[in-house]
Amino acid sequence: MIKSKEELKKVIKSEKSLYKSGNCYNDIKNKLLLEREPQMWKYIKALRISEYHYNNRNSIFHAIMYYFWHRRKNKLGYKLGFEIWENSVDEGLLIYHPSSIIINGFASIGKNCVF
């Protein structure tokens, strides 16, 4: 459950290393060849930012930002076949293949889950 900005940065940094190789050439090549890894990373990042705003939605700013990021996450999810609810998967989510992945909001999946 991501409640603070520092927590959000830590989770995004740790998950970015799962999707980005660190090699600029490979990252650019994947983007140009329309590989799925950059799109999956965008989805995971939108999921985490959406979780942060969802958990802090008691202020009007976070409520509005939650709807923005939730919509963005859903648009990316429709393209990839993902539907993952906020706060259902802990840090370290890695998805290898884009396909139909649906995780209910009542699910509770631990750290370093690999699909």
Side-chain angles (χ1 to χ4, degrees):
M1 203 165 180
I2 303 169
K3 292 287 261 179
S4 68
K5 194 76 160 176
E6 292 78 27
E7 238 180 305
L8 175 65
K9 288 178 183 178
K10 183 183 97 75
V11 170
I12 286 178
K13 184 178 179 182
S14 70
E15 289 182 342
K16 184 177 183 178
S17 66
L18 299 173
Y19 290 92
K20 299 273 188 170
S21 64
N23 183 344
C24 186
Y25 172 74
N26 285 339
D27 293 339
I28 292 171
K29 182 186 77 162
N30 285 340
K31 237 180 198 183
L32 291 175
L33 295 177
L34 299 176
E35 296 289 342
R36 293 294 185 154
E37 288 85 8
Q39 293 176 354
M40 289 190 293
W41 165 240
K42 281 183 184 179
Y43 180 83
I44 298 299
K45 186 176 178 183
L47 170 68
R48 297 310 182 189
I49 294 172
S50 177
E51 282 179 9
Y52 167 68
H53 290 295
Y54 177 79
N55 294 330
N56 294 303
R57 69 188 180 280
N58 53 356
S59 77
I60 190 72
F61 171 74
H62 288 294
I64 292 169
M65 293 306 292
Y66 165 68
Y67 286 113
F68 172 79
W69 282 101
H70 185 73
R71 184 174 189 282
R72 186 171 185 168
K73 174 187 70 90
N74 286 343
K75 283 178 69 176
L76 291 166
Y78 292 142
K79 290 179 186 176
L80 294 167
F82 298 161
E83 186 175 338
I84 303 173
W85 286 64
E86 287 82 11
N87 297 323
S88 60
V89 181
D90 207 352
E91 179 182 348
L93 175 63
L94 177 60
I95 301 172
Y96 278 115
H97 298 287
S99 61
S100 297
I101 297 176
I102 299 172
I103 301 175
N104 191 328
F106 297 110
S108 179
I109 299 174
K111 287 187 174 190
N112 303 322
C113 178
V114 177
F115 288 106

